[in-house]
Amino acid sequence: MKRFLQHRGFALIELMVVVAVLSLAAAFFVPRFLKHQIRTRQEECTANLRSFYEAQKVRREKAGSFATDMADLGWAPQGKGRYDYRLVASGKRSFVFQCSGNIDKDPTLDEASIDESGRITQISDDARK
């Protein structure tokens, strides 16, 4: 009995229980973390769409029409370049601006657009499934 009480260290079963608990915790939290990371990256696109919209509003107030080229605005996207930005259509009274990128490394692109009313539309968003 005295020898049993002096035992120091962990038994194999104790180590296996700790590894099992950590594995279950990782299986639960890692997918949530990855989904949160993707949503954060999508915010880059949304923020740039709003910024472009504001630049177009200022342009229309000053010049009377929307810019037909991004270079006319002097606007450049902020962020790490995960998305491609393009002015799809622009006229005197309307425009559609779009961003697209593959942020979740699958075969489809995640795309969003904004129009002259300031409404952001998710064209393709497979990351939120």
Side-chain angles (χ1 to χ4, degrees):
M1 177 87 172
K2 192 175 192 182
R3 211 172 144 191
F4 177 73
L5 294 174
Q6 291 177 350
H7 174 70
R8 293 180 186 221
F10 295 104
L12 181 59
I13 192 73
E14 292 171 329
L15 289 174
M16 289 174 60
V17 168
V18 168
V19 168
V21 168
L22 290 175
S23 297
L24 287 173
F28 180 73
F29 288 113
V30 168
R32 286 178 169 232
F33 173 74
L34 294 175
K35 189 176 268 192
H36 174 72
Q37 201 174 34
I38 288 171
R39 286 184 180 157
T40 302
R41 290 178 183 160
Q42 286 176 328
E43 285 299 316
E44 176 185 324
C45 171
T46 304
N48 280 326
L49 288 176
R50 286 189 182 114
S51 173
F52 180 82
Y53 171 74
E54 292 299 322
Q56 281 283 48
K57 276 185 14 182
V58 170
R59 161 66 189 240
R60 185 167 184 203
E61 288 174 9
K62 288 182 179 178
S65 66
F66 292 120
T68 57
D69 189 358
M70 289 189 334
D72 293 343
L73 287 175
W75 178 86
Q78 300 293 313
K80 296 188 177 189
R82 294 183 182 104
Y83 288 94
D84 295 321
Y85 298 91
R86 63 191 166 282
L87 187 57
V88 178
S90 185
K92 187 169 185 143
R93 297 180 173 248
S94 66
F95 69 87
V96 176
F97 185 65
Q98 206 172 55
C99 70
S100 62
N102 191 355
I103 59 170
D104 51 356
K105 310 292 187 238
D106 65 356
T108 59
L109 289 176
D110 302 302
E111 296 179 302
S113 68
I114 193 166
D115 61 14
E116 69 281 349
S117 68
R119 186 181 65 231
I120 294 178
T121 307
Q122 295 289 338
I123 298 168
S124 169
D125 184 8
D126 63 330
R128 292 190 190 257
K129 290 180 182 176

